[in-house]
Amino acid sequence: MANLTNGYSHIESFLKIPTVKFTKLFINGEFLDSVSGKTFETVDPRTEEVITEIAEANKEDVDIAVRAAREAFDFGPWPRMPGAERAKIMVKWAELIEQNVEEIAALDTIDGGKLFSWCKAVDVPEASNILRYYAGAADKIHGDVFKTSRDLHLYSLMEPVGVVGHIIPWNFPTVMFLAKVAPALAAGCTMVIKPAEQTPLSSLFYAHLAKLAGIPDGVLNVVPGFGSTAGAAISSHMDIDAVSFTGSTETGRKIMQAAALSNLKPVSLELGGKSPVLIFDDADVDKAVDLALFGILHNKGEICVAFSRVFVQEGIYDEFEKKVVEKAKAWVVGDPFDPKVQQGPQTSKAQFDKILSYIEHGKTEGATLLTGGKPVGNKGYYIEPTIFANVKEDMLISQEEIFGPVMTLSKFKTIEDAIKKANSSKYGLAAGIVTKNLDIANTVSRSIRAGIIWINCFFAFDIDCPFGGYKMSGFGRDYGLEALHKYLQVKSVATPIYNSPWL
């Protein structure tokens, strides 16, 4: 493992960290203190030191933000603009993001422990691309004219759903912010966004850039706070028309209950995962090892689609196990600003402790710890890449989402056996298949109950491709035009036709 040097002097040798500029709630175009005056600490997971104090939104603050969003929707210009005008402003926002890529990437690195190089090269450019994609869709929203069997002119309108509540996770604070906000903006909605309390910094910076881009006051409001207060207030609010959430299945259930018990608002839930990858005997073992390892260690395993359950056909299992352990031991853990580092710290102390607890469960349940299993260094939330073998399907580490750098490794005999193992989970978010055989790829991809299947690849997302889950991984889709449509509703309009030569 790489040696850890957690002092800021070392960090500044890679990059001069920008000063945090925005720490208050963003409501109706202004940065404001919370009504209560309360703040909470956001902590740097590399050093365990407090970065800054963030204004803490409670129910009263959410009420104020919703009133601003409601006013902007009912009487403001945004829903009434031609789609092409909304698009111009969204493109301007995308340009501002591109001009500030390094600062935004640094904020996500200090706030969430993400690799600076990845944020700069992938996450932040992806955010601007998402905005451009939905800007392109903003002037292409239309209904249908129906050929009726009666003397009626009958057509449909696609109208914005109204005020939307977005509750976003801490593992991809930049991408998830824009994946929720961009299609809702294109549809003409206004919104209240609650970033995760662990990673609020980039969301507040995005709000600042949105204001500079010309998004009208009240259209976009950001209320950092805790799920039990600010998140609960959004979910149960009688004047929020829809909620989109990405996070844990447990929280998703609470949001759905709150929505049902309030104004029956529709919800979109992208929830937990326990994604399998099935590696068949014909696979290139070295490529399969690289794919499986990246699938569980990318973003320190804090990915809902992580390849946490690795199933290898018995003909190549022994070779695979030996090579994956060797590569895991060589994986570089350390300062996420260091371009040589492959894995930074877990996002928070709570997540760090949770992962270590699951590792202990794996040991006590009788799984074989092949490598890892311990913290790295004496400061920061770093954990060794961890691989368990001889994992039974009923073990906790095989059934529950760990959300960390922990792989469970098992073998299988037949295609039918592999499919059964892959589907033996309450989750159904993603799955992987590694094979050179097209028939196997086709059969297995159609047999696994998951929202996205990756054949000989991992993390192969595209803005145009919808993403979401089966089973307890939720419902609704982000990305693609499906995401735009969830922020629209259909209105049918009928007028009589008299003495027309045709219908």
Side-chain angles (χ1 to χ4, degrees):
M1 299 298 175
N3 291 326
L4 284 171
T5 305
N6 289 312
Y8 276 95
S9 60
H10 172 63
I11 292 161
E12 289 174 0
S13 70
F14 298 113
L15 179 84
K16 184 171 175 55
I17 296 175
T19 302
V20 175
K21 302 183 183 78
F22 307 105
T23 61
K24 297 183 178 183
L25 314 181
F26 185 77
I27 298 176
N28 206 24
E30 296 184 77
F31 284 100
L32 305 169
D33 291 318
S34 59
V35 171
S36 67
K38 286 184 178 180
T39 61
F40 64 93
E41 297 175 346
T42 189
V43 174
D44 187 334
R46 303 163 306 150
T47 63
E48 305 181 45
E49 296 173 7
V50 175
I51 303 168
T52 189
E53 298 277 339
I54 302 293
E56 181 185 338
N58 288 313
K59 183 180 183 301
E60 294 79 8
D61 304 291
V62 171
D63 287 342
I64 294 168
V66 173
R67 282 200 294 274
R70 176 54 62 192
E71 181 79 9
F73 184 78
D74 288 347
F75 305 105
W78 189 255
R80 293 157 188 83
M81 278 184 191
E85 293 302 310
R86 288 200 297 271
K88 289 178 183 177
I89 295 173
M90 292 171 70
V91 168
K92 176 63 175 175
W93 191 14
E95 292 170 349
L96 290 170
I97 290 171
E98 290 161 358
Q99 292 166 21
N100 291 273
V101 59
E102 193 157 292
E103 184 166 355
I104 297 167
L107 290 176
D108 278 350
T109 301
I110 62 170
D111 217 14
K114 296 175 67 68
L115 295 183
F116 174 75
S117 58
W118 184 274
C119 289
K120 184 178 177 181
V122 180
D123 284 11
V124 183
E126 175 78 355
S128 63
N129 288 340
I130 292 169
L131 269 172
R132 291 178 185 278
Y133 175 86
Y134 287 106
D139 61 352
K140 300 170 185 67
I141 297 168
H142 53 77
D144 292 305
V145 177
F146 303 107
K147 182 70 174 176
T148 66
S149 58
R150 300 176 56 196
D151 292 338
L152 293 172
H153 175 50
L154 192 60
Y155 62 95
S156 64
L157 300 172
M158 299 290 285
E159 297 184 344
V161 72
V163 177
V164 179
H166 298 297
I167 304 174
I168 63 175
W170 43 259
N171 59 330
F172 284 88
T174 277
V175 173
M176 293 313 306
F177 184 95
L178 273 304
K180 303 292 188 189
V181 167
L185 284 176
C189 295
T190 62
M191 61 210 69
V192 177
I193 305 123
K194 192 200 87 66
E197 60 269 23
Q198 297 88 345
T199 54
L201 296 181
S202 60
S203 292
L204 294 171
F205 195 91
Y206 284 126
H208 159 69
L209 296 182
K211 172 88 170 179
L212 294 182
I215 291 179
D217 294 348
V219 171
L220 186 148
N221 306 274
V222 181
V223 288
F226 294 90
S228 59
T229 49
I234 289 171
S235 305
S236 61
H237 206 288
M238 293 296 292
D239 217 16
I240 286 180
D241 300 303
V243 170
S244 179
F245 169 74
T246 294
S248 72
T249 298
E250 179 185 9
T251 302
R253 183 181 283 112
K254 293 177 182 177
I255 289 170
M256 196 171 178
Q257 289 173 332
L261 292 171
S262 54
N263 59 347
L264 212 62
K265 62 178 72 64
V267 298
S268 174
L269 303 175
E270 193 258 279
L271 307 177
K274 194 70 177 174
S275 301
V277 57
L278 309 179
I279 301 169
F280 289 86
D281 279 343
D282 68 323
D284 181 309
V285 175
D286 290 317
K287 290 181 180 179
V289 165
D290 289 341
L291 186 63
L293 206 58
F294 181 69
I296 187 58
L297 299 183
H298 176 51
N299 203 52
K300 53 276 185 13
E302 292 176 347
I303 308 181
C304 51
V305 296
F307 283 166
S308 52
R309 295 186 297 143
V310 179
F311 300 104
V312 183
Q313 200 160 15
E314 57 187 5
I316 60 169
Y317 178 87
D318 290 342
E319 182 185 0
F320 180 93
E321 182 185 287
K322 179 184 176 182
K323 288 184 174 181
V324 79
V325 169
E326 287 174 356
K327 289 207 170 187
K329 287 179 177 178
W331 200 257
V332 183
V333 180
D335 177 358
F337 281 104
D338 185 340
K340 297 177 183 176
V341 162
Q342 295 168 286
Q343 179 183 319
Q346 308 308 136
T347 296
S348 67
K349 179 68 160 58
Q351 187 61 23
F352 175 79
D353 290 341
K354 176 186 173 185
I355 294 165
L356 292 176
S357 173
Y358 273 114
I359 290 171
E360 290 306 309
H361 273 294
K363 294 177 185 176
T364 58
E365 285 182 318
T368 303
L369 181 63
L370 298 178
T371 186
K374 300 187 298 295
V376 179
N378 54 17
K379 196 172 188 181
Y381 308 132
Y382 298 89
I383 295 176
E384 293 177 335
T386 300
I387 301 176
F388 282 102
N390 299 315
V391 179
K392 297 178 181 177
E393 290 178 27
D394 60 351
M395 288 182 177
L396 205 65
I397 58 171
S398 182
Q399 287 297 319
E400 296 195 7
E401 185 177 40
I402 299 173
F403 222 62
V406 182
M407 175 192 294
T408 65
L409 191 55
S410 307
K411 65 178 69 172
F412 67 89
K413 292 184 178 182
T414 65
I415 292 176
E416 293 73 23
D417 184 30
I419 293 168
K420 182 179 178 182
K421 289 178 182 293
N423 285 330
S424 65
S425 170
K426 63 186 176 183
Y427 297 112
L429 194 56
I433 302 166
V434 185
T435 182
K436 297 173 185 174
N437 187 313
L438 183 61
D439 292 335
I440 291 176
N442 283 335
T443 298
V444 177
S445 62
R446 284 161 172 75
S447 302
I448 296 176
R449 298 194 65 214
I452 190 165
I453 310 293
W454 289 308
I455 300 171
N456 299 326
C457 59
F458 171 71
F459 217 61
F461 288 109
D462 187 84
I463 300 168
D464 202 38
C465 179
F467 168 69
Y470 283 29
K471 299 189 282 186
M472 292 183 72
S473 290
F475 50 85
R477 294 294 183 264
D478 289 317
Y479 283 16
L481 294 181
E482 281 82 355
L484 178 68
H485 292 156
K486 73 184 181 183
Y487 300 112
L488 296 164
Q489 51 192 350
V490 178
K491 175 185 286 181
S492 296
V493 181
T495 57
I497 295 176
Y498 301 103
N499 302 316
S500 172
W502 54 74
L503 293 178

